[in-house]
């Protein structure tokens, strides 16, 4: 089954063509230059830019896969969660294309897409496993079961971990997007220079909290201002150690309490090098398997959406043209036309 995926939940417009688990093309158009002057995503600017480039991005994905539109068997689009204005662009395009081609369209939950990215990387990874979803909007642990929706074990009570990286980058005067910039600055710093708090790390349960850590960084930055290059490096490294340390501790605890031996770490923050090496070390010590998608499949992309949608379509699940987009939606919610709470 040849499926075109379209993803536009935040500030990336992406399109990809997959055949089952084979990714034939994956095109991502980022907007870092659009949002850099503001230090964060401006929703209105994001959706306008999506409108400008959705057609070209999809056309490039088809061209790079050497697939003509009429060869497609279906279209998969991210239906939520995300910025509604952004989501609507990809969703409307996907529905229109499917209608024109006479093929089914299916809405995909963005976080299911992120989890499927791990299964694209490791085809032998089969549920049950623990999924750690860490991005600019989400920090959550799931038990991914062979059947049914992933079960939420815990999530952030305030900021997402990626959001904390982005805010710390602003505090340190580092360029947007913040995650990779903080990570680069951290390479020259001492991760033990400052003992930042690791909120909830030692507590039972699987909830996270990142706003206190962000405040601690703000206070430290204030104390050290004017910042020398070495200050920036040490604060970045110590923040990164605290932020990723909590993720490792909670993932370990979740695996132990669920009695599972496999962990998938997905979402933009899964691209973080320190997290990868610390988690790999924990995996060695505790004897669990950890799967990280390659960096290009960690951050937002459409290959994961196409692959997740392809599974739904293979099971005969498709949506009507009344498929809608939603800013917030539980991971198990279907159908997309009337999720609970909207
Ligand atoms: O999954 P994603 O592309 O979009 C969302 O669904 O949010 O994740 C974006 C987030 C941003 O907060 C970005 O700063 C963070 O992932 N990120 C990183 C790294 N690369 C991206 N955070 C830490 N280290 C990185 N190398
Ligand atoms: Zn994402």
């Amino acid at each position: 089954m040849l499926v075109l995926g379209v993803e536009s939940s935040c500030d990336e417009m992406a399109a990809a063509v997959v055949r089952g688990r084979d990714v034939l093309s994956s095109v991502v158009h980022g907007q870092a230059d659009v949002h850099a002057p503001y230090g964060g995503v401006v929703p209105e600017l994001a959706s306008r830019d999506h409108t400008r480039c959705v057609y070209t991005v999809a056309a490039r994905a088809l061209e790079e896969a050497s697939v003509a539109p009429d060869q497609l068997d279906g279209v998969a689009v991210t239906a939520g969660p995300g910025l509604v204005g952004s989501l609507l662009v990809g969703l409307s395009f996907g529905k229109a294309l499917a209608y024109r081609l006479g093929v089914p369209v299916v809405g995909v939950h963005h976080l299911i897409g992120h989890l499927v990215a791990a299964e694209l990387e490791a085809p032998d990874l089969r549920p049950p496993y623990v999924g750690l979803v860490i991005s600019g909007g989400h920090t959550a642990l799931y038990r991914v079961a062979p059947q049914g929706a992933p079960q939420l074990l815990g999530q952030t009570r305030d900021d997402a971990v990626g959001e904390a990286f982005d805010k710390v980058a602003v505090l340190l005067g580092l360029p947007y997007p913040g995650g990779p910039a903080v990570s680069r600055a951290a390479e020259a710093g001492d991760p033990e220079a400052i003992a930042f708090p690791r909120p909830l790390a030692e507590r039972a349960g699987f909830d996270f909290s990142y706003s206190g850590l962000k405040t601690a960084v703000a206070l430290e930055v204030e104390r050290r201002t004017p910042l020398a290059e070495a200050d920036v490096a040490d604060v970045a490294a110590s923040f990164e150690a605290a932020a990723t340390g909590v993720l490792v501790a909670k993932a370990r605890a979740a695996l132990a309490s669920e009695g599972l031996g496999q962990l998938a770490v997905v979402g933009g923050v899964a691209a973080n090098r320190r997290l990868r090496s610390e988690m790999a070390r924990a995996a060695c010590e505790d004897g669990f398997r950890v799967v990280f998608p390659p960096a290009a499949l960690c951050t937002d992309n459409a290959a994961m959406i196409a692959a997740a949608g392809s599974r739904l379509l293979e099971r005969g699940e498709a949506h009507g043209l009344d498929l809608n987009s939603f800013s917030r939606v539980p991971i198990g919610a279907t159908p997309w036309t009337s999720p609970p709470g909207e």
Side-chain angles (χ1 to χ4, degrees):
M1 196 177 232
L2 271 176
V3 175
L4 174 79
V6 183
E7 149 67 39
S8 66
S9 63
C10 190
D11 62 338
E12 267 102 13
M13 171 54 75
V17 180
V18 302
R19 184 186 282 118
R21 284 170 186 262
D22 290 337
V23 180
L24 305 187
S25 68
S26 180
V27 177
V28 180
H29 172 82
Q31 304 178 342
D33 49 336
V34 174
H35 305 290
Y38 308 96
V41 176
V42 183
E44 176 65 24
L45 297 181
S47 49
R48 283 189 202 189
D49 197 75
H50 287 336
T51 310
R52 274 192 288 273
C53 71
V54 57
Y55 181 86
T56 353
V57 169
R60 255 182 61 208
L62 287 165
E63 192 187 316
E64 286 181 18
S66 302
V67 166
D70 60 8
Q71 289 176 276
L72 290 174
D73 299 301
V75 178
V77 292
T78 306
L83 302 170
V84 158
S86 287
L87 285 163
L88 273 175
V89 179
L91 186 102
S92 309
F93 176 85
K95 286 200 294 188
L97 181 67
Y99 178 67
R100 164 70 181 80
L101 298 174
V103 298
V105 62
V106 68
V108 173
H109 193 287
H110 184 75
L111 300 189
I112 298 275
H114 274 303
L115 286 166
V116 167
E119 296 179 37
L120 278 178
E121 163 65 9
D124 60 333
L125 175 69
R126 296 264 186 272
Y129 58 84
V130 170
L132 174 62
V133 183
I134 40 177
S135 69
H138 303 272
T139 306
L141 275 162
Y142 292 95
R143 182 190 172 97
V144 182
Q147 253 116 44
Q151 180 201 339
L152 182 67
L153 301 174
Q155 62 184 329
T156 184
R157 296 178 182 174
D158 40 59
D159 292 353
V161 59
E163 192 180 350
F165 268 91
D166 294 334
K167 288 179 176 168
V168 165
V170 174
L171 291 170
L172 292 176
L174 295 169
Y176 176 87
V182 169
S183 181
R184 264 195 312 276
E187 279 170 27
D190 174 7
E192 288 170 12
I194 309 146
F196 282 129
R198 299 186 177 200
L200 308 182
E202 304 303 327
R203 283 258 200 102
F206 305 112
D207 281 358
F208 299 87
S209 167
Y210 278 99
S211 70
L213 173 57
K214 179 196 65 193
T215 307
V217 172
L219 291 173
E220 184 67 24
V221 166
E222 205 177 292
R223 208 175 62 74
R224 292 181 178 229
T225 298
L227 295 177
E229 212 170 294
D231 291 312
V232 172
D234 281 349
V235 173
S238 303
F239 159 75
E240 187 179 54
T244 57
V246 177
L247 298 173
V248 175
K250 291 288 176 193
R252 279 178 131 156
L255 286 158
S257 104
E258 293 298 310
L260 294 175
Q262 306 186 97
L263 171 71
V265 188
V266 302
V269 182
N272 185 272
R273 301 237 308 256
R274 182 180 179 92
L275 175 67
R276 286 176 177 247
S277 65
E278 292 297 309
M279 202 68 96
R281 190 182 348 177
C284 266
E285 283 172 15
D286 295 4
F288 62 85
R289 176 189 189 196
V290 59
V291 174
F292 282 95
L297 288 180
C298 285
T299 45
D300 287 348
N301 66 88
M304 65 186 195
I305 301 301
S310 173
R311 291 179 185 191
L312 296 172
L313 292 168
E314 274 164 20
R315 293 208 301 257
E317 287 182 39
H319 294 117
L321 291 178
D322 54 354
L323 173 66
N324 209 345
S325 64
F326 298 92
S327 56
R328 295 159 69 92
V329 59
I331 201 162
T334 53
W336 286 98
T337 44
S338 57
E342 284 281 336

